[in-house]
Amino acid sequence: RDQDTHSFEDDNYPPSLKGKGRVNPTQNLVDAFPMANGYPISDGNSGYDPKNPYENRDPRLQEYIVVNGATIGAKNNVINTTDDDPANLDGINHESGQSTVTGDYLRKLLRSDVNLNPAANKRHFGARIRYTEIFLEYAEAANAAQGPKANVGGANFSAYDVIKAIRQRAGVGGSNDPYLEECAQSKEKMRELIRNERRLELCFEGHRFWDLRRWNANLTEAAKGVYITTGANGLVYDVKNVESRDYKDYMIYGPIPYTEVLKWSNLVQNDGWQ
């Protein structure tokens, strides 16, 4: 967005900071961020600890998402999303109806120095396109055309080179990035890694809806959230489905707008949308 406003912060800050908490990152996305060593949390080499789920993770997780205990806002307020205290405005499913339904809040695209007090004057400016998006599109095409390490058309870098640079910039994988090296041995594994890096780098930028459809990926995975309570030995993290996704096979394609169908009698509506 090319405008002088803080409406995005107003919509998405946690309620305790006078925001409406509208965009709630799912636990599905949180789980897609690897560990700092580069391995997915589902991999036995990752070192992931479900009792301390935010430790030693990809730094982008905290850069993009406000998880429980993180800070945000002009005064670095600590955000508590636990399900213990009914008076906690930011707690999951607070009775106000404005708190998170997944246990997390959005950070990416927000300015943390914006104060929603009407007397404040910090504003938000949005970007139209990012350089990283172009590199990710190149990596996806290069891997599909010639594999992970081939330099398509004599280019100076491969899909592997692009993903390595992106992960190094993010602080993931260390100097050797063994998981990347593992994926580089297979076009299929590299495709999976590229798609996940695209999911992380471009999250909340309007790409995921279209990516899932052009990849013919699963559209029916339920959205998950995390309910955090205080147990005898510390916090307890309980992952639950918070919203189902009921898409039929034909919904991989959207409907042609009715106004367009009316313009030309030979234009046939997509299957399932008649």
Side-chain angles (χ1 to χ4, degrees):
R1 292 175 311 283
D2 196 16
Q3 57 192 42
D4 180 13
T5 178
H6 53 55
S7 61
F8 205 60
E9 287 73 22
D10 181 66
D11 283 341
N12 296 295
Y13 264 7
S16 64
L17 298 182
K18 304 183 186 300
K20 299 181 179 67
R22 286 178 172 167
V23 175
N24 305 153
T26 63
Q27 187 65 28
N28 314 57
L29 176 59
V30 171
D31 289 346
F33 286 88
M35 298 296 286
N37 63 15
Y39 284 97
I41 65 171
S42 58
D43 193 296
N45 295 311
S46 70
Y48 174 69
D49 180 3
K51 295 181 179 179
N52 296 286
Y54 310 128
E55 288 191 9
N56 301 317
R57 295 291 293 276
D58 179 338
R60 290 173 294 187
L61 173 57
Q62 296 276 359
E63 291 289 332
Y64 297 167
I65 296 173
V66 179
V67 299
N68 182 57
T71 61
I72 191 173
K75 296 182 179 179
N76 286 320
N77 297 70
V78 177
I79 304 303
N80 174 16
T81 67
T82 59
D83 194 29
D84 289 330
D85 183 3
N88 175 22
L89 292 176
D90 299 329
I92 190 169
N93 289 326
H94 187 269
E95 62 181 9
S96 67
Q98 290 192 324
S99 72
T100 177
V101 298
T102 64
D104 299 300
Y105 291 95
L106 179 68
R107 183 190 303 279
K108 190 178 183 184
L109 306 177
L110 306 183
R111 281 187 59 168
S112 287
D113 60 349
V114 167
N115 187 334
L116 294 182
N117 186 314
N121 60 5
K122 290 287 186 181
R123 301 288 181 172
H124 175 92
F125 293 87
R128 292 184 178 273
I129 190 171
R130 291 202 298 123
Y131 207 22
T132 304
E133 178 188 344
I134 298 171
F135 278 113
L136 284 164
E137 288 166 356
Y138 173 87
E140 188 175 345
N143 182 64
Q146 296 185 10
K149 290 194 172 182
N151 292 0
V152 180
N156 292 327
F157 45 84
S158 64
Y160 165 86
D161 295 327
V162 169
I163 299 303
K164 183 175 183 178
I166 289 174
R167 283 163 68 90
Q168 283 183 339
R169 183 188 65 178
V172 174
S175 57
N176 298 321
D177 202 345
Y179 185 71
L180 172 61
E181 297 301 327
E182 179 183 322
C183 292
Q185 306 308 308
S186 161
K187 178 187 287 190
E188 289 70 29
K189 289 208 68 171
M190 180 59 79
R191 179 191 302 124
E192 181 181 342
L193 180 59
I194 291 169
R195 288 182 178 183
N196 196 65
E197 285 296 318
R198 183 176 176 87
R199 179 182 190 178
L200 304 182
E201 282 284 333
L202 303 182
C203 61
F204 310 112
E205 296 183 36
H207 297 277
R208 185 70 174 168
F209 178 93
W210 306 108
D211 285 345
L212 288 174
R213 285 159 176 76
R214 68 185 178 86
W215 294 335
N216 199 24
N218 177 25
L219 300 178
T220 60
E221 179 182 2
K224 300 180 185 298
V226 59
Y227 286 71
I228 307 173
T229 54
T230 303
N233 298 313
L235 295 180
V236 178
Y237 301 84
D238 187 13
V239 176
K240 301 179 182 180
N241 291 345
V242 298
E243 186 174 296
S244 62
R245 296 284 190 263
D246 184 18
Y247 288 96
K248 309 303 181 186
D249 289 345
Y250 69 84
M251 293 179 180
I252 195 76
Y253 301 105
I256 300 172
Y258 183 60
T259 53
E260 297 302 312
V261 175
L262 290 177
K263 292 177 183 177
W264 189 34
S265 60
N266 288 337
L267 187 60
V268 178
Q269 183 58 270
N270 287 334
D271 289 343
W273 297 103
Q274 290 89 345

